[in-house]
Amino acid sequence: MSENNSFQKFRGASKYVLDEELAKIVNVSMALEMPLLLKGEPGTGKTMLAHAIAENLAMPLISLNVKSSMKLVDALYQYDTLTRLNDSRFGDSTRDVSNIEDYIRMGKIGQAFVSDVRTVLLIDEIDKADTDFQDDMLDILDQMEFDIMEIDKTVKAKNRPVIIITSNAKKDLSDPFLGRCNFHHIAFPDTDMMKRIIAVHFPNLDQEVADACIEAFYRFRRVDGIEKKPATRELINWIRALKADPDFDVSSLSRGDVPYLGVFFKKSTDLAMASKMIARSQN
Amino acid sequence: MFINFFYSLRDHGIPVSPTSFLRFHKALNTGQVLSLKDLYTVARSTLVKSERYFDSYDQIFAHYFEGAEMPPITDLELDEIARALLEEWLKNPAQMADALGIDESKLRKYTPEELIQYFLDRLKEQTKEHHGGDRWIGTGGTSPVGHSGVHPGGMRVGGSGGGMSAIKVALERRYRDYSQQGPLTQSQIGEALKKLRRMVPSGPRDVVNIDKTIYETMRNAGEIEIVFDKRLKDRLKIILMIDNGGWSMDPYVHIVQVLFDYARDQFKELKTYFFHNTIYEKVWEDYTRYKKPQKIITFPNKDPESRIVIVGDASMAPYELMYESGSIYFEEKKSKASIDNLKFLAKTFRHTVWLNPRPRNQWSHTWTIDAIQEVFPMYELTLDGLDKAVNYLMLRN
């Protein structure tokens, strides 16, 4: 582990608005060499944070998107038996059929371990996997090594990656898992934070338009009984849609005339409810 | 350092492990903690592992480092404690009576409403007279309502960092909303539901079956023959029906829902319905049993391979179960006898179980439990019972 890297500090990236608190937590996690577990509702920028860290520290980002059917070994390495079978039959490749190591391919965690430079390893949506996967994975991330059974070889991490783990679920992860992570819950940004986020994404946007859009956005989030509340991503897409529309006029927003509601609400019941609310407010 | 702070957190029900406390000290030595605000942030990220405890943490932090008053308990919170007390009471009256120093037999006569009122009165009395005293009673560690312990004194850290001070941040109680969500301590029980799955091949044939490939290749005298299979997917649909009428079921409704929500992602579909005591013509999708009724008659439209899990204490007056028009609801008066509806369900779906939160040794005292047991296999709502129920649901025939 190079000394230089551990003293690098994270200060935020070009497209990511970071609050001071979160920056501190990222830095401490890096200093403690512990994975950072991020929870929060969708659209609060959990995944974006990993991208931002990678950009800021100029480290390559390796992201492992966890799937429910995934086995831990898939994330570590794969033994490509089929290619080997094929090679043994036709023998027209440069690989050595009797050397199994030629047919071992690194999975995402493996790649982060063997990389020559320190990387940011993003493990996205860990809650999708079962508890065994989660606990076993942390064992490996703790020890920074794993065995390749087929060739009886141990892979050790050359550089300890910066590990960011995200979870969407409201349910808790297992206690041993939590015990080995630093934890942060990203709350949904408040209005001021959102203004800064929008300013980063749309530097040329008129202030008046931005404020009106954000205000409308929070009004929609407050509609009662909505199943899937619109998140930051929806707001950004919505503003993009408004910007593309030459007929759009800011004053119409305050009159309660809101175009492209479908960008905000992806469920038909939610959409109906929101339209109803708008209709009511116009009367 | 901060030993009292550590115990203060633990005393208020935040599960802080000694390991994480040591790690917190390690963090202090990294040179990252330069202000009180840093301390606030770093301590939280290393010690507190769920946003549900953030609110408690904020209060304790503010109290500990600035001697802020623990906020007075609001009526709403009082109400919650009283409810928690009632739950405790239902689980173990003798122990509670002992803890409160009251006569168990006296309280036994009270209705749940009277009990709640009684607890509320006691709690109000308590807040008035015992400011800063010891905590009166535990509420299972979920409610951030402890009256402060002894102020440790002397443990002040001077000067706060730039921007908003940590105390101010803590006093904002930004995480208040999160602390209201119930504890999900049933995660181990959720594991029991893991067995509840049925893997069925589906989708395109895109997975190589290595054993078959090797076999076929050998049969082909070494000419490669690759065999593809469909992916295995879990296609199990679960229908959960919960009796949420009446206070006797109250303590369990939440647990059961949590249980199945926890395992939700492993099922193809999980539908929850509610009923009161037993099932008549319809069940409801909404908790209030009012907005979204679903007629039992329409259930055969669903996949007959769905697993039905009914949760209820199955205890009621015999006529509610056996007689036509036995429903206690006026608008349901003209219906088949409930037992016929249950039989109808049992016939439509081969895999149905009834989970009963009452302990098995009490079952024989209630006539309706026997009657329902003849229709559905019934299991206790315990880890063990759940395991048996899952095994039954997964039987092939």
Side-chain angles (χ1 to χ4, degrees):
Chain A
M1 248 148 274
S2 82
E3 277 297 299
N4 266 339
N5 277 345
S6 59
F7 281 103
Q8 284 184 5
K9 279 199 183 162
F10 174 59
R11 289 191 194 83
S14 56
K15 279 259 172 174
Y16 188 85
V17 180
L18 185 78
D19 64 58
E20 211 182 309
E21 192 177 72
L22 187 49
K24 186 95 242 166
I25 292 172
V26 170
N27 287 333
V28 166
S29 303
M30 279 164 60
L32 286 179
E33 304 188 328
M34 276 174 73
L36 172 60
L37 172 66
L38 292 173
K39 264 167 79 175
E41 49 175 303
T44 42
K46 297 184 293 296
T47 311
M48 285 294 284
L49 174 67
H51 289 267
I53 295 173
E55 185 189 328
N56 184 258
L57 302 179
M59 295 181 194
L61 175 73
I62 295 177
S63 54
L64 170 69
N65 292 308
V66 177
K67 298 187 185 79
S68 58
S69 57
M70 200 177 244
K71 292 194 193 72
L72 182 59
V73 71
D74 298 341
L76 303 175
Y77 68 92
Q78 274 170 335
Y79 172 30
D80 193 349
T81 39
L82 266 196
T83 308
R84 185 156 177 245
L85 186 65
N86 191 60
D87 285 354
S88 72
R89 169 69 183 80
F90 298 107
D92 53 358
S93 78
T94 51
R95 288 176 289 260
D96 177 3
V97 178
S98 55
N99 183 7
I100 296 180
E101 201 168 345
D102 282 3
Y103 298 94
I104 300 281
R105 289 199 198 138
M106 285 299 160
K108 295 289 181 188
I109 293 179
Q111 285 171 24
F113 279 14
V114 297
S115 164
D116 289 325
V117 291
R118 200 177 185 199
T119 56
V120 176
L121 175 61
L122 167 67
I123 296 165
D124 216 359
E125 304 190 22
I126 183 74
D127 47 301
K128 278 190 190 163
D130 58 19
T131 330
D132 290 346
F133 179 101
Q134 297 165 4
D135 292 348
D136 294 349
M137 188 186 77
L138 271 202
D139 273 338
I140 283 165
L141 295 183
D142 237 16
Q143 290 153 10
M144 281 291 143
E145 61 177 45
F146 62 87
D147 294 333
I148 298 177
M149 265 185 315
E150 281 82 356
I151 52 174
D152 199 16
K153 185 180 149 190
T154 304
V155 177
K156 282 205 169 80
K158 291 184 189 162
N159 296 289
R160 180 180 279 267
V162 178
I163 302 165
I164 308 288
I165 302 171
T166 74
S167 164
N168 268 331
K170 288 213 170 98
K171 80 186 180 194
D172 280 353
L173 299 156
S174 73
D175 287 344
F177 187 94
L178 292 172
R180 293 179 197 179
C181 295
N182 276 337
F183 174 76
H184 185 59
H185 179 273
I186 305 185
F188 198 83
D190 58 15
T191 325
D192 290 341
M193 190 69 185
M194 189 55 85
K195 281 182 184 159
R196 284 167 58 200
I197 294 172
I198 293 304
V200 168
H201 281 267
F202 302 98
N204 302 323
L205 191 66
D206 188 54
Q207 190 59 38
E208 190 193 350
V209 180
D211 289 354
C213 290
I214 290 169
E215 204 229 293
F217 171 71
Y218 279 95
R219 211 164 53 224
F220 283 124
R221 276 181 61 83
R222 280 194 300 269
V223 178
D224 275 342
I226 283 200
E227 242 176 274
K228 178 161 182 341
K229 286 184 180 179
T232 317
R233 188 186 302 133
E234 274 79 35
L235 176 62
I236 290 170
N237 287 340
W238 186 60
I239 295 180
R240 208 173 279 150
L242 293 183
K243 278 180 75 176
D245 180 0
D247 298 333
F248 172 68
D249 174 23
V250 195
S251 57
S252 68
L253 272 185
S254 49
R255 281 199 316 264
D257 187 10
V258 185
Y260 309 118
L261 262 187
V263 179
F264 274 146
F265 300 101
K266 313 279 172 73
K267 292 195 169 190
S268 44
T269 47
D270 288 354
L271 187 58
M273 218 179 291
S275 325
K276 216 187 283 171
M277 187 205 81
I278 290 170
R280 219 179 304 136
S281 67
Q282 274 174 326
N283 293 330
Chain B
M1 280 235 293
F2 304 113
I3 296 279
N4 286 335
F5 180 53
F6 172 67
Y7 281 105
S8 197
L9 290 173
R10 286 187 67 96
D11 285 349
H12 288 80
I14 303 179
V16 187
S17 70
T19 328
S20 56
F21 189 60
L22 290 177
R23 199 167 283 131
F24 164 61
H25 279 95
K26 206 171 144 198
L28 292 180
N29 292 332
T30 56
Q32 298 269 4
V33 182
L34 304 169
S35 68
L36 190 55
K37 183 152 188 217
D38 290 351
L39 184 73
Y40 166 81
T41 312
V42 170
R44 198 187 62 204
S45 79
T46 47
L47 299 175
V48 187
K49 300 299 167 72
S50 170
E51 70 275 15
R52 262 183 287 117
Y53 303 113
F54 278 14
D55 186 45
S56 305
Y57 173 83
D58 279 357
Q59 293 178 60
I60 297 163
F61 188 89
H63 172 71
Y64 190 89
F65 288 101
E66 202 71 348
E69 281 290 308
M70 289 298 242
I73 301 174
T74 63
D75 280 352
L76 184 74
E77 281 171 323
L78 265 184
D79 210 42
E80 296 243 322
I81 313 173
R83 252 169 228 293
L85 283 176
L86 180 67
E87 265 179 48
E88 284 294 317
W89 170 263
L90 290 172
K91 271 184 239 155
N92 195 342
Q95 198 187 338
M96 277 285 287
D98 202 36
L100 304 184
I102 40 174
D103 188 12
E104 188 194 338
S105 54
K106 191 177 122 205
L107 281 201
R108 274 203 180 275
K109 296 193 197 99
Y110 287 7
T111 65
E113 287 73 26
E114 281 170 338
L115 266 176
I116 291 230
Q117 194 51 51
Y118 175 83
F119 287 139
L120 270 177
D121 290 348
R122 286 293 301 257
L123 282 168
K124 278 190 182 139
E125 202 175 288
Q126 183 71 14
T127 43
K128 260 181 244 144
E129 288 167 12
H130 284 258
H131 261 313
D134 203 2
R135 272 211 306 177
W136 189 45
I137 186 110
T139 56
T142 52
S143 174
V145 291
H147 305 192
S148 47
V150 189
H151 183 253
M155 204 25 261
R156 285 181 185 225
V157 178
S160 54
M164 196 169 9
S165 88
I167 301 302
K168 257 189 174 163
V169 172
L171 277 177
E172 272 191 346
R173 299 190 59 189
R174 292 168 296 168
Y175 297 98
R176 197 179 185 139
D177 290 348
Y178 297 105
S179 68
Q180 297 291 336
Q181 301 168 356
L184 304 187
T185 48
Q186 309 303 323
S187 62
Q188 306 98 316
I189 305 182
E191 287 292 294
L193 291 177
K194 279 272 158 66
K195 279 196 211 154
L196 204 51
R197 52 167 55 193
R198 192 173 57 130
M199 304 303 272
V200 177
S202 68
R205 290 182 182 277
D206 59 353
V207 183
V208 178
N209 182 330
I210 292 180
D211 286 347
K212 265 196 190 156
T213 299
I214 293 172
Y215 180 78
E216 288 298 326
T217 303
M218 290 309 122
R219 264 171 53 99
N220 235 354
E223 198 61 44
I224 290 178
E225 180 76 41
I226 299 178
V227 182
F228 289 96
D229 272 347
K230 290 180 180 177
R231 239 170 248 276
L232 289 180
K233 269 219 181 117
D234 196 1
R235 307 266 85 178
L236 202 59
K237 292 178 192 166
I238 302 281
I239 299 173
L240 182 62
M241 297 185 179
I242 306 177
D243 174 2
N244 71 339
W247 59 275
S248 60
M249 281 300 294
D250 268 357
Y252 306 109
V253 173
H254 182 66
I255 296 178
V256 173
Q257 271 187 299
V258 164
L259 213 67
F260 278 85
D261 271 344
Y262 190 84
R264 163 167 249 141
D265 50 349
Q266 87 181 48
F267 306 129
K268 174 156 189 256
E269 196 180 288
L270 172 65
K271 273 262 173 203
T272 311
Y273 299 98
F274 297 97
F275 63 93
H276 184 178
N277 279 355
T278 180
I279 296 166
Y280 301 100
E281 280 194 310
K282 36 193 165 179
V283 287
W284 285 264
E285 277 182 59
D286 58 314
Y287 190 83
T288 50
R289 285 176 273 116
Y290 174 67
K291 285 182 207 137
K292 289 187 187 160
Q294 171 113 18
K295 289 200 162 142
I296 293 296
I297 292 285
T298 63
F299 270 72
N301 294 339
K302 299 183 189 295
D303 185 351
E305 285 296 305
S306 298
R307 267 59 170 173
I308 300 195
V309 179
I310 306 177
V311 186
D313 55 11
S315 309
M316 66 207 92
Y319 75 86
E320 287 182 46
L321 186 63
M322 303 310 286
Y323 289 173
E324 281 177 37
S325 317
S327 169
I328 53 175
Y329 290 109
F330 183 74
E331 64 268 30
E332 277 195 291
K333 278 297 177 197
K334 282 185 210 142
S335 64
K336 282 197 285 186
S338 170
I339 191 91
D340 291 331
N341 278 317
L342 296 182
K343 282 180 183 155
F344 176 72
L345 277 180
K347 216 171 82 186
T348 316
F349 301 93
R350 295 186 299 150
H351 306 277
T352 308
V353 290
W354 188 295
L355 293 175
N356 196 331
R358 291 181 63 183
R360 185 177 275 276
N361 53 21
Q362 293 178 10
W363 289 5
S364 54
H365 304 315
T366 311
W367 188 87
T368 47
I369 292 188
D370 277 343
I372 289 177
Q373 257 187 303
E374 281 174 23
V375 185
F376 302 116
M378 194 181 284
Y379 299 94
E380 270 182 300
L381 186 59
T382 59
L383 197 52
D384 196 38
L386 198 62
D387 209 38
K388 285 185 191 144
V390 167
N391 281 341
Y392 175 83
L393 286 176
M394 294 324 293
L395 288 181
R396 288 207 168 264
N397 301 304

